[in-house]
Amino acid sequence: MSDLSDLSDLSDLSDSPGTSGPAGPTSAEGDRGGRDDARRQLVFFGAEAADPSVADLAGLLAGPGEVSVMGGTARLSVVVDAAWRVHVLVAELALRGLPASWEATEDERHAVRTSYTRALKPLAAAWLRGPVKRPPAGFHLNGRRLRLWLAAAGVAEPAGFLLRLGAADADCQAAIGAALAAAGLAGDPLAPDAGGPAYRITGRRRLARLAELVGDRPPAAPPPAWPARP
């Protein structure tokens, strides 16, 4: 196991400070205010709409995350392909009271793991059918879950974003796709022989929706790797 500070290949990326506008709104600003109000209603389930919770980790299980059980405890793990993802995920897990460790894999990726804990047992009970991972009935995606999924396995493309599932998760794809559609993010499914299992999110409105739901880019994430708000 390695401590997060050993990830020396990741540069520190910080957001630029914002600027404040004039105190009195102009007519154009008033119009923008109406659009902003509508946008805030649109992202009621966005990543910033509620406090982080352990239930949000269902977003990792929608992607390549795995959960395993030992006695009355469970552990969540996910293998990622970039050091910045380790930084983001470890920070997100810590926000939920779940310290995590990481280690390099033989294929030059990174495995992020929590400890075994009782706090994850309900998540495991909902997602496991014996040893097999399956989305539970009524599974849905909100901004906090999507943020974790994107951090673990979202890939920017010229025309949009690819949200990858686990390599063995083809049987989960239909349920995950239905949850994406219900969140306003209907995507194109990719089969394993076409680079999946994954969903490709394209289109101006859907990409704007994704950006609003997942919230601001984490400082560790390279700007091109995170959807920008319009």
Side-chain angles (χ1 to χ4, degrees):
M1 293 293 179
S2 302
D3 183 79
L4 185 63
S5 60
D6 293 339
L7 276 181
S8 58
D9 58 332
L10 181 64
S11 59
D12 183 22
L13 297 169
S14 58
D15 293 314
S16 300
T19 57
S20 59
T26 65
S27 175
E29 287 169 337
D31 292 341
R32 285 198 300 272
R35 290 195 297 270
D36 288 344
D37 288 342
R39 188 170 65 183
R40 280 192 288 270
Q41 293 176 11
L42 179 69
V43 296
F44 179 77
F45 294 107
E48 297 150 3
D51 292 334
S53 74
V54 172
D56 303 337
L57 302 183
L60 289 176
L61 297 179
E66 298 288 341
V67 64
S68 55
V69 174
M70 182 173 67
T73 66
R75 178 176 74 181
L76 189 141
S77 61
V78 60
V79 176
V80 299
D81 61 6
W84 72 263
R85 299 186 192 275
V86 178
H87 280 270
V88 175
L89 292 177
V90 169
E92 291 282 357
L93 290 166
L95 284 176
R96 293 159 176 84
L98 296 168
S101 60
W102 73 275
E103 64 180 351
T105 65
E106 293 182 355
D107 57 356
E108 299 184 351
R109 296 191 294 168
H110 313 283
V112 179
R113 299 187 184 93
T114 70
S115 300
Y116 280 99
T117 171
R118 293 183 183 277
L120 290 172
K121 189 64 185 291
L123 192 70
W127 277 80
L128 290 181
R129 304 293 180 268
V132 180
K133 183 181 78 171
R134 290 289 183 273
F139 171 67
H140 69 280
L141 288 163
N142 56 27
R144 299 181 307 281
R145 295 179 178 189
L146 283 162
R147 183 178 179 86
L148 290 168
W149 185 3
L150 183 70
V155 179
E157 296 185 322
F161 269 83
L162 199 66
L163 294 173
R164 295 190 181 280
L165 285 69
D169 290 349
D171 290 341
C172 302
Q173 194 163 9
I176 301 300
L180 279 169
L185 297 171
D188 299 320
L190 297 184
D193 59 0
Y199 274 93
R200 178 173 283 127
I201 310 298
T202 58
R204 180 180 58 83
R205 290 185 179 180
R206 288 175 186 151
L207 292 173
R209 171 73 168 161
L210 177 63
E212 292 289 358
L213 282 170
V214 300
D216 292 337
R217 174 177 63 86
W226 202 263
R229 290 179 174 179

